[in-house]
Amino acid sequence: MREKLFVGNWKMHFTLREAKAYFEKFLTLQSKNPLSNRIIGVAPPFTALFYVKSLLKATYIKLVAQNAHFAEKGAFTGEISPVMLKEIGVEYVILGHSERRHLLGEEDEFISKKVTSVYNIGLKPILCVGETLEEREEGETLERVSSQVKIGLQGLKSLQPQNLVIAYEPVWAIGTGRNATPEQAEEVQSFIRKVLEELYGKETALEIPILYGGSVTPENVGELMQMPNVDGVLVGGASLDPEKFYKICSIEV
Ligand code: PEP
């Protein structure tokens, strides 16, 4: 049985004071109606990670980092090592997010080194893949996603499926208010599952959670989650509002 995951990506939002107010609200909501049968994760900016860990101490909410470097330590000014993230209680790391690919020039080979390092250190990579609008219009979606998955995972020869997550995030849907339809998400996500099967065999492929991300809201999450290969969601904008994120996380699974 694949895990259902709901991950909020705060991006570059929230000071410590704002993070505290956020969880006061979110934890009050969930104390009235605890959410079981699912994993909920939150990815604050680096400056708030350690503090948020302390706020979440007595909860089931997982700490997620938005990025990591591949090296364990060294002369990499401005970077954060996966060892440092593990030390403070991070469990998942978002890698290959489209904003890092497109705004900061991260490429598949570089992302692959991070995925390998993060996985080997004992954290769970959330590898983000997805096509641009132009690629979709040119009919290149599946080819693009396939190469992102294959190169991204090329360093992981054997795999514990519960220690890896893939997130399909069409670039044209991120932060645009234009989500993929459930059918579009399912088409690509079932294809990703086939690629995973090629790489690791059917049994393993069936255990790897594949999330959808791109303008997820409390209104559209229900129909997306009905798709057989949508195992959860990666949420940007709507995760900044604790009530909306709580509504998204509390969908029936
Ligand atoms: C994201 O940042 O991963 C994302 C999906 O953003 P949004 O939900 O705002 O589209």
Side-chain angles (χ1 to χ4, degrees):
M1 187 55 174
R2 286 196 293 277
E3 283 165 334
K4 304 287 181 204
L5 266 100
F6 297 80
V7 179
N9 174 14
W10 287 2
K11 311 192 187 192
M12 201 171 70
H13 291 279
F14 294 166
T15 61
L16 301 189
R17 193 172 48 80
E18 289 164 338
K20 184 166 188 277
Y22 182 96
F23 283 113
E24 275 166 6
K25 186 79 198 171
F26 189 89
L27 296 175
T28 306
L29 290 168
Q30 74 86 40
S31 68
K32 291 185 190 138
N33 178 22
L35 304 170
S36 55
N37 311 332
R38 69 204 71 203
I39 294 173
I40 296 172
V42 175
F46 284 126
T47 48
L49 272 174
F50 190 54
Y51 177 62
V52 165
K53 179 66 188 173
S54 71
L55 297 177
L56 298 180
K57 218 169 23 209
T59 76
Y60 55 83
I61 300 171
K62 309 286 188 191
L63 196 60
V64 182
Q66 297 179 19
N67 183 36
H69 196 266
F70 56 78
E72 292 189 19
K73 61 180 172 182
F76 298 103
T77 302
E79 292 293 324
I80 305 284
S81 130
V83 174
M84 295 165 181
L85 297 175
K86 192 173 178 193
E87 183 189 30
I88 62 162
V90 166
E91 288 184 52
Y92 294 83
V93 185
I94 298 171
L95 295 170
H97 190 280
S98 83
E99 283 151 16
R100 298 201 65 85
R101 289 177 188 267
H102 297 282
L103 302 175
L104 299 166
E106 288 195 10
E107 290 183 354
D108 288 328
E109 293 286 345
F110 182 64
I111 294 161
S112 162
K113 285 165 95 171
K114 297 178 182 220
V115 170
T116 308
S117 164
V118 159
Y119 180 89
N120 287 340
I121 276 160
L123 298 171
K124 301 176 185 182
I126 302 177
L127 171 63
C128 300
V129 299
E131 81 288 1
T132 61
L133 187 58
E134 199 183 351
E135 286 163 342
R136 174 161 282 266
E137 285 171 352
E138 294 297 317
E140 293 166 1
T141 298
L142 301 185
E143 196 186 315
R144 180 74 188 113
V145 166
S146 167
S147 77
Q148 287 173 327
V149 171
K150 285 182 179 163
I151 300 173
L153 300 181
Q154 69 193 358
L156 307 184
K157 299 299 175 212
S158 66
L159 186 69
Q160 290 293 318
Q162 65 277 12
N163 292 345
L164 172 71
V165 180
I166 306 289
Y168 169 55
E169 298 209 304
V171 179
W172 48 270
I174 297 181
T176 58
R178 177 184 169 193
N179 64 291
T181 64
E183 293 72 25
Q184 285 171 323
E186 177 59 21
E187 184 199 5
V188 180
Q189 298 192 199
S190 61
F191 171 77
I192 292 173
R193 184 131 1 251
K194 287 207 184 80
V195 175
L196 294 171
E197 193 178 323
E198 257 179 62
L199 296 175
Y200 301 111
K202 190 164 187 157
E203 213 176 304
T204 300
L206 282 173
E207 292 296 313
I208 300 171
I210 305 177
L211 314 185
Y212 167 77
S215 299
V216 173
T217 63
E219 291 70 39
N220 62 28
V221 67
E223 50 176 11
L224 285 158
M225 287 295 293
Q226 276 170 23
M227 296 293 113
N229 286 288
V230 177
D231 303 313
V233 285
L234 179 52
V235 189
S239 78
L240 298 177
D241 176 334
E243 289 188 37
K244 282 191 188 162
F245 189 52
Y246 178 77
K247 273 193 195 152
I248 290 172
C249 295
S250 39
I251 200 82
E252 203 165 313
V253 293

